[in-house]
Amino acid sequence: MNKRWLSSLCIAIFCAGSLFSQAIPKAKNGSIDLSSYQFSDLKTVELSGEWAFWWNKKYTNATELESAPTPDSYPPIPSYWGSGSHGGKQFPAQGSATYRLTIHLPDSQVYGLYVPQMVSSYDLYINGVLVGSNGLTDINPAKVHGVFKPNVYFVTPQNNTLDIFLFIANRDYRHGGQWKPILIGTAQAVQNYYNRSLMIELFLFGSILVIGLYNIALFLFRPKDRSPLFFGLFCIIVALRVITTGTIALSHLTSIVPWEIQIKLELSVFYLGALFFGLFFKELFPTDIPSIGLGIMLAPAVLFTLLALVLPLKLFNLLVTPMEITAIAGLLFVLVCITVAWIRKRENAALILIGFLLFTITAINDVLYSKNIIATAYMLPLGLFSFIFLQAIALARVFSNSFTRVEQLSDELSTVNKSMSRFVPNEFLTFLNKKSINDIKLGDQVLRSITILFADIRSFTTLSETMSPQDNFNFINSYFNRIGPIIRNHHGFIDKYIGDGIMALFPEMPQDAVQASLAIQEQLNEYNKERLSYGLQPISIGIGIHTGLVMLGIIGEQQRIESTVISDTVNLASRIENLTRTYNVPILLSGNMQSYLQEAGFHGRLIDTVLVKGKSQPCDIYELLDVYSSRERIYFLETQGIFEQGVRLYHEKDYEKAMKLFKLCYAKNPQDNLSALYIYRIRNAQRLRTLQKDGASANSKIETDSQPVPRNS
C-alpha cells in the first residue's frame, strides 16, 4: 500500500514538473504562437514580448490596417512609451497609441484574458469586436479620463486565432503604455488567478488594517506610549496602498473614490507613510535615531503630504521620482539606525531589523519595477506585511513582557497591600470609602456608630520584669496571635496595639464585641493551662466594652500619617477597662450596652454608677455574668435582683438596708466578691460617719476607698 502511494506521488510530481517546465513563448513582431502550448486550469501565460505599436493612432481591426502605415516599432511589453523602448523614441506621457498582438491558439475553446490596469485608460478590441474598456479614451487628450481597474474577459478564438487591438490613452499619469502584461489561459485558469489575487490582497488589507486598529486601540488605552499610535497609522496607510494596487480591490468594491484619490493613496506609503514610519521608530529607539537625521527625513515627507493635498494629479506626478529617492534614502537611514540598535542589543532589535530589511528590499524593487528597470512584480505589499507581522510580534513580545512585569508588580503590590493591611486594616479603608491605601489622604474622616473593646493584661509590668526583652516580645506576640483571630471571627478588627493591650472595633453589631470578649476569656483559660504545663505563671486580662458614635479618620502630617478613632466613646471604653482592676472582674460593659445584652440573651448585672475621669455625668457599668461557668452563673442570677437593689440603696446612702442585702447575697453566693466589696465599703462609710459625729477630723486616713461613688483616676 505504501509503495503504491509513493509511486502515485512520484507520478504526480513528474506530471506537475512537466507542466511547469514548458517553455513559454514570447511575442515576436506582433505575433505569438501558442498553438503547441498545453493550457491547463492551473496556469496562465503572459502575453509579453514584441507588440506592434502605432503612436497617436487608433485602430480596431485588421481591415483598417490595409491602408495604414507600418507600425512605428515593435516595443517589448510591458514597457512605457516614454522609456525609449519604443523604437528608440521617447514619446510624451500625454498621448495615445494602438498596440496589436495576434495570438495563435491550439483550439477554439473559451479562453480568458486578465487585463491589468493600463496607463491610464484603454479600449480592448478582439477580432474586430470591442470586448471591454476602462476609463475614457480619445485621440484628443482633453477628453481622456484614466481609471485603474483590472478586468477579466472571456473570448472565443476565430479559426484558433485572437487578433488583439489595444488602444491606450493617457492624460494625467506620469507614464503611458502597458504597465503590466496581459495574461491568457483557460477560462477557469484566468478566473482562478483573478480570484486568488483578489483574495490575497483583501487578506493583506484586512490583516494590516486590523493590526493598525489594534495598535491604535492600545494607544487609546495607554496614551503614555505613542509608538503603537504611529505604528497603527502607518499600518492603515499601508492597508490603503494594498487595496489600491495589484488587482485594485478598492475599484471593485466601490466606484465612489475618484481615480485621482486612488493614485494618491497608492503613493501615500512614500510620503504620509514615511512620516508615521519615522515617528514610530523614534519612539521605539529614541537614543539610536538622531533627532537631526529624523528631521531631515521627515521634512520632505511633510512637504510631499501637503503638496499631495493641493496639487492636481498631473503636477503631483512630477514629484514621484524625488519622492521615491527621498523615501529610499530615509529607509536606508532608518536601516542604519536599527542596525546600530541591534549592535547595542536593544530589545527586539534583531526581529525588527529582519522585517525592516525585507520591507526595504521590496520597496526598492517596486520603485525599479514601476520604472520598468527590472521585470519582477509588485512585492511591497508582501514586504510590508512581513515587516508589519514581525513588528507586531515584536510589539506583542514587548506587551507580553510588560504584562509579565505588571503581573510581577501586581503580585508585589498585593504583597505590599497585604503587609500594609496589617498596619492599616482594610475595614478602616472601607469606612473611608477607599479602595486601597494609596487613595487615603490626610484629613479623610467619617462619623459612625461603632462598639469599642479594650483588653489589657493585668500586672504586666510585674510579669515583664521576670522576662528578658526577647521573652517579652515572644510572650506578647503569642498572646496577640490568640486574640487577633477571635476578634476577626466576630466581625471586628484590631485598630491599635497599646503595649500589652488592644483596641478593637466592631462596626456591625454590639453583640459581636460581647461574644468576642467571652471567646477571648475562653481562649485565655486554654492559654493558661498551657502556661501552667510549662511551669509559667497564668495571666488575667480585663475587658471593657462601650458603644457609641466615633470619628474614624487619618491624622498626622504630610510625611507621616496614621489611622485613628477619636471620640468620647473611645475614652469611656478605656476607662471602663481600667475599672476591671478596681472591681476585680474580667469583663465590664457600659450602661448603653445593657439593651443589646438582653436582645442577644446575655446576662449582665449593674455593679456601680461611676464618674470616670473626663466625664461630667456618671455612667452605669455592668458585669457580664456569662463569663462564669453555668453552675456559677446560677448563683449570680439568683441574687442579681437583690444585688442591684443593694447598689441603688448604697448610692442613696441607706447603708443599713444595703448592708442587709449584700450580706444576703454573699451568704447565698460566697464567690460574689463584689458583695464583699460593698460590705467593706459600707463599713468604712459607717465608720467615717461615726467619726464625723464624734468630731473627728475629716482628713483622717481610711484604709480603703471611702467615697460613695468610686472614681477612676
Side-chain angles (χ1 to χ4, degrees):
M1 184 67 180
N2 291 334
K3 291 183 177 179
R4 289 183 180 177
W5 180 85
L6 186 60
S7 300
S8 301
L9 180 62
C10 292
I11 292 172
I13 294 174
F14 175 78
C15 292
S18 300
L19 244 120
F20 288 102
S21 63
Q22 293 185 80
I24 301 176
K26 298 286 185 178
K28 196 72 174 174
N29 295 325
S31 177
I32 183 170
D33 186 5
L34 298 176
S35 58
S36 60
Y37 189 82
Q38 296 180 4
F39 286 92
S40 73
D41 293 343
L42 299 177
K43 59 181 180 177
T44 57
V45 177
E46 290 185 357
L47 298 180
S48 57
E50 298 175 351
W51 288 50
F53 170 78
W54 291 268
W55 172 248
N56 216 23
K57 299 287 191 301
K58 182 175 183 179
Y59 301 113
T60 63
N61 56 68
T63 303
E64 296 178 358
L65 294 179
E66 293 177 356
S67 58
T70 58
D72 294 324
S73 65
Y74 291 93
I77 298 300
S79 62
Y80 300 122
W81 58 53
S83 62
S85 60
H86 289 50
K89 298 180 181 179
Q90 288 185 315
F91 298 98
Q94 187 183 64
S96 60
T98 296
Y99 290 88
R100 182 195 184 188
L101 180 66
T102 303
I103 308 172
H104 302 285
L105 297 167
D107 52 43
S108 295
Q109 67 169 313
V110 177
Y111 285 88
L113 289 177
Y114 174 77
V115 182
Q117 62 268 33
M118 298 296 160
V119 186
S120 59
S121 60
Y122 70 84
D123 291 329
L124 177 64
Y125 296 86
I126 297 179
N127 295 333
V129 178
L130 179 64
V131 174
S133 60
N134 223 3
L136 298 177
T137 63
D138 201 279
I139 296 295
N140 182 3
K143 298 180 180 181
V144 174
H145 179 72
V147 171
F148 279 179
K149 183 179 180 182
N151 281 304
V152 173
Y153 304 103
F154 299 102
V155 294
T156 303
Q158 293 180 359
N159 299 321
N160 300 347
T161 301
L162 293 177
D163 196 8
I164 297 177
F165 283 80
L166 181 64
F167 178 68
I168 300 176
N170 178 55
R171 183 186 67 181
D172 298 321
Y173 203 69
R174 60 186 183 275
H175 301 297
Q178 292 197 47
W179 194 342
K180 299 177 183 179
I182 297 174
L183 302 180
I184 189 172
T186 65
Q188 188 63 51
V190 171
Q191 188 64 57
N192 290 343
Y193 172 85
Y194 175 77
N195 292 341
R196 184 168 58 251
S197 301
L198 189 61
M199 285 189 295
I200 290 174
E201 289 184 12
L202 289 176
F203 167 76
L204 292 174
F205 168 76
S207 301
I208 297 173
L209 181 64
V210 168
I211 292 174
L213 294 176
Y214 171 75
N215 279 273
I216 292 176
L218 288 179
F219 167 76
L220 293 177
F221 287 112
R222 191 173 180 267
K224 184 178 180 180
D225 183 9
R226 295 183 299 177
S227 61
L229 171 64
F230 296 135
F231 184 67
L233 293 173
F234 173 71
C235 289
I236 291 176
I237 295 298
V238 171
L240 291 176
R241 187 186 191 280
V242 169
I243 207 172
T244 54
T245 57
T247 56
I248 312 182
L250 182 64
S251 63
H252 292 273
L253 297 175
T254 178
S255 58
I256 299 175
V257 181
W259 177 67
E260 292 80 3
I261 300 298
Q262 291 185 37
I263 299 303
K264 291 185 178 183
L265 288 176
E266 173 200 339
L267 301 172
S268 62
V269 73
F270 289 108
Y271 49 95
L272 192 56
L275 176 63
F276 298 131
F277 196 71
L279 293 174
F280 164 68
F281 276 104
K282 181 62 177 176
E283 289 289 326
L284 207 60
F285 303 112
T287 59
D288 301 310
I289 296 184
S291 299
I292 296 177
L294 181 67
I296 295 174
M297 170 187 168
L298 296 184
V302 174
L303 176 62
F304 288 137
T305 301
L306 296 175
L307 292 175
L309 296 175
V310 298
L311 291 180
L313 181 61
K314 183 177 181 179
L315 295 178
F316 180 72
N317 266 305
L318 300 176
L319 301 175
V320 171
T321 298
M323 184 191 308
E324 291 172 340
I325 295 173
T326 304
I328 291 176
L331 289 176
L332 295 177
F333 165 73
V334 174
L335 184 61
V336 171
C337 293
I338 298 176
T339 304
V340 172
W342 172 64
I343 294 173
R344 294 174 178 174
K345 298 182 179 180
R346 305 299 188 196
E347 185 180 12
N348 295 314
L351 196 64
I352 295 172
L353 179 60
I354 294 172
F356 187 77
L357 190 59
L358 291 173
F359 168 56
T360 303
I361 292 172
T362 55
I364 295 174
N365 169 84
D366 278 24
V367 171
L368 298 178
Y369 175 69
S370 67
K371 296 182 178 300
N372 284 132
I373 297 176
I374 58 175
T376 53
Y378 271 120
M379 296 182 182
L380 188 60
L382 293 176
L384 285 169
F385 179 77
S386 300
F387 166 72
I388 290 171
F389 181 73
L390 291 175
Q391 179 58 42
I393 292 176
L395 286 178
R397 287 181 60 184
V398 170
F399 281 106
S400 178
N401 293 336
S402 299
F403 289 145
T404 302
R405 181 58 181 158
V406 167
E407 289 176 351
Q408 293 174 348
L409 292 175
S410 297
D411 292 339
E412 293 175 7
L413 183 60
S414 177
T415 302
V416 170
N417 286 336
K418 188 178 294 184
S419 298
M420 290 300 297
S421 67
R422 295 186 291 178
F423 293 92
V424 180
N426 289 329
E427 294 85 352
F428 213 99
L429 299 178
T430 302
F431 294 150
L432 298 176
N433 196 26
K434 304 295 182 182
K435 293 183 179 180
S436 73
I437 195 170
N438 297 324
D439 299 327
I440 64 174
K441 60 182 181 295
L442 191 65
D444 287 339
Q445 50 79 30
V446 66
L447 178 67
R448 63 170 297 161
S449 179
I450 282 182
T451 302
I452 312 292
L453 181 150
F454 275 90
D456 195 30
I457 300 176
R458 293 177 183 170
S459 304
F460 176 72
T461 302
T462 303
L463 181 64
S464 65
E465 290 175 352
T466 65
M467 297 184 290
S468 66
Q470 183 64 50
D471 291 337
N472 265 292
F473 275 93
N474 291 340
F475 164 71
I476 288 293
N477 290 332
S478 176
Y479 164 69
F480 287 152
N481 278 331
R482 288 168 168 79
I483 303 304
I486 294 174
I487 292 172
R488 288 190 293 273
N489 291 339
H490 290 83
H491 315 295
F493 64 95
I494 296 175
D495 178 60
K496 283 182 177 60
Y497 292 100
I498 310 167
D500 61 301
I502 62 170
M503 172 184 168
L505 308 181
F506 293 85
E508 296 185 11
M509 299 174 61
Q511 293 92 326
D512 293 335
V514 177
Q515 291 173 335
S517 67
L518 293 174
I520 290 172
Q521 288 293 343
E522 183 178 351
Q523 179 62 238
L524 184 65
N525 293 334
E526 296 297 323
Y527 183 44
N528 282 333
K529 291 179 182 179
E530 183 180 330
R531 289 179 62 83
L532 287 171
S533 68
Y534 288 101
L536 300 175
Q537 180 183 349
I539 62 173
S540 60
I541 64 173
I543 297 176
I545 304 175
H546 179 52
T547 189
L549 290 175
V550 298
M551 289 283 294
L552 301 99
I554 306 298
I555 62 170
E557 45 90 18
Q558 292 299 327
Q559 299 300 319
R560 177 69 173 89
I561 62 174
E562 75 173 16
S563 60
T564 192
V565 180
I566 301 175
S567 173
D568 183 60
T569 301
V570 178
N571 298 330
L572 183 54
S574 177
R575 301 290 185 264
I576 291 174
E577 185 276 320
N578 287 333
L579 289 176
T580 60
R581 297 178 178 84
T582 302
Y583 295 98
N584 194 27
V585 293
I587 303 173
L588 286 179
L589 305 97
S590 64
N592 62 353
M593 289 289 297
Q594 177 62 11
S595 60
Y596 299 111
L597 291 177
Q598 294 174 351
E599 290 177 6
F602 295 114
H603 305 90
R605 67 170 180 171
L606 176 68
I607 64 169
D608 210 343
T609 301
V610 297
L611 187 64
V612 299
K613 183 179 180 180
K615 297 286 290 184
S616 60
Q617 298 295 325
C619 171
D620 292 339
I621 56 174
Y622 286 78
E623 176 190 15
L624 184 62
L625 299 179
D626 297 87
V627 73
Y628 300 110
S629 65
S630 301
R631 185 174 180 180
E632 292 173 331
R633 195 184 314 140
I634 292 174
Y635 296 107
F636 283 102
L637 292 176
E638 286 180 352
T639 60
Q640 180 178 356
I642 301 173
F643 180 87
E644 291 179 349
Q645 185 179 358
V647 172
R648 285 190 290 269
L649 291 172
Y650 171 78
H651 285 291
E652 292 171 2
K653 299 184 179 181
D654 191 347
Y655 298 132
E656 287 76 11
K657 291 182 180 180
M659 177 66 85
K660 291 179 181 180
L661 294 177
F662 286 126
K663 285 182 176 181
L664 179 59
C665 285
Y666 192 71
K668 290 186 176 183
N669 185 11
Q671 296 181 353
D672 190 355
N673 295 326
L674 289 180
S675 294
L677 174 63
Y678 272 104
I679 291 172
Y680 195 61
R681 284 182 174 184
I682 291 172
R683 285 176 179 171
N684 285 331
Q686 288 174 338
R687 188 180 301 173
L688 178 61
R689 183 180 290 176
T690 300
L691 291 174
Q692 288 175 343
K693 287 181 179 179
D694 293 342
S697 173
N699 294 325
S700 298
K701 293 182 180 180
I702 307 300
E703 293 181 29
T704 83
D705 180 18
S706 61
Q707 297 297 324
V709 180
R711 296 178 183 271
N712 177 33
S713 53

